[in-house]
Amino acid sequence: MPASTAVDPVAAARAAEALGYDFVSTSDHPSGTDPSHESWTMLAWMAAHTERIGVMPRVLGVPYRRPAMVAKMAETLDRLSGGRLILGLGGGSSDEEFRAFGIDVPSPRDKVDGLAEAIEIIRGLWTGPATTYTGRIHHVAAAPMEPKPDRRIPIWLGTFGPRALDVTGRLADGWMPSLGYASLEALPAMRDRVLAAAERAGRSPEDITCALNVEVRAGDDTADRLRALVAMGFTVLNLKVPGPGRDEQVERLALEVLPQLR
């Protein structure tokens, strides 16, 4: 879902819910010249006006928000929405946005290390009585947080580089790259690296949801194209529908294409 203010987020979420979609998602790019909504606020607004559909940031740039506050925000949204949050996290792709908002630009290594540390802190706050964590980038000191989540809130990462893919397999519940940021030809090897990292960490590869963010329009070959992505191991497809005619496309995909895949 675009974060543009030209789109009514509640109407879009309600329409997606009525059409049987599993979740709606939004990107996290607070700086820019195109009018947009802040992603977390918009997701909360959509969740408050729907009943079933899941909500997901695709993905929160970790440098924008302290991990401990993200843990609190996520627990609250998941609780108030009845357990409908997927917490998407990423290292932050746009250095220009960081500069514009007065945020120090992390190096590529700092982005990956900061992402891993953020997950450790968030999970610690969600599960422990008080969390102390001293990382190279982030830290908390004997931090209590109540209430704890009623369930294991899934954390999915939008990652691409080798070290970031290793972090995904080691710590995350899901992997959601974007087709275009990674080529179709590169995806199988990247997925293999995520699953291999999970195995090295003593985890089952089956515990990692492999999702793909893909731009699509309904057409004669759409079902075949998406079926090929499922055959590659992507069991969740996050469909980005470009305008114009977005509403019609969303409906056509739900009624004509997705029944062929489910």
Side-chain angles (χ1 to χ4, degrees):
M1 173 177 292
S4 168
T5 57
V7 177
D8 180 345
V10 168
R14 284 176 168 170
E17 184 172 65
L19 288 166
Y21 286 94
D22 296 312
F23 65 92
V24 292
S25 67
T26 183
S27 58
D28 185 38
H29 294 287
S31 178
T33 57
D34 293 331
S36 65
H37 299 295
E38 192 279 321
S39 58
W40 197 267
T41 309
M42 184 170 74
L43 289 171
W45 187 245
M46 290 191 293
H49 289 83
T50 53
E51 297 180 356
R52 176 198 60 81
I53 198 163
V55 294
M56 176 185 178
R58 185 194 71 243
V59 287
L60 287 185
V62 167
Y64 286 123
R65 305 165 184 87
R66 295 288 187 181
M69 281 304 302
V70 172
K72 186 64 177 179
M73 293 157 60
E75 193 287 326
T76 299
L77 180 52
D78 193 65
R79 179 176 298 277
L80 296 182
S81 68
R84 289 190 279 148
L85 175 67
I86 301 169
L87 179 57
L89 298 176
S93 62
S94 179
D95 292 352
E96 291 78 13
E97 290 184 21
F98 296 147
R99 293 188 187 98
F101 272 34
I103 299 170
D104 291 339
V105 177
S107 69
R109 175 169 290 276
D110 287 351
K111 288 181 180 182
V112 175
D113 290 351
L115 177 61
E117 291 175 11
I119 297 170
E120 299 273 17
I121 288 171
I122 290 167
R123 289 281 185 218
L125 289 168
W126 284 348
T127 57
T131 299
T132 295
Y133 185 95
T134 303
R136 195 171 64 82
I137 311 296
H138 302 295
H139 68 276
V140 289
M145 195 194 86
E146 295 293 341
K148 306 298 183 190
D150 289 332
R151 67 181 187 119
R152 181 181 173 89
I153 301 172
I155 296 177
W156 293 6
L157 303 186
T159 51
F160 300 91
R163 293 183 65 244
L165 295 173
D166 290 345
V167 168
T168 305
R170 181 165 57 89
L171 296 175
D173 303 297
W175 176 51
M176 182 185 274
S178 295
L179 187 60
Y181 281 83
S183 69
L184 188 63
E185 294 75 19
L187 286 173
M190 295 169 70
R191 179 176 177 272
D192 288 347
R193 183 166 188 127
V194 170
L195 301 184
E199 288 188 316
R200 288 195 302 272
R203 307 178 66 196
S204 169
E206 295 179 356
D207 293 338
I208 310 294
T209 299
C210 290
L212 185 65
N213 187 39
V214 57
E215 188 171 294
V216 65
R217 293 184 68 84
D220 293 340
D221 64 343
T222 305
D224 289 340
R225 180 190 175 202
L226 297 181
R227 193 177 290 113
L229 297 174
V230 174
M232 290 173 61
F234 292 98
T235 57
V236 175
L237 299 175
N238 185 70
L239 306 180
K240 289 182 63 179
V241 181
R246 181 179 294 109
D247 293 346
E248 178 185 355
Q249 284 289 311
V250 168
E251 184 172 351
R252 284 191 61 193
L253 288 166
L255 300 180
E256 300 173 15
V257 176
L258 296 185
Q260 301 180 54
L261 302 177
R262 290 190 184 277

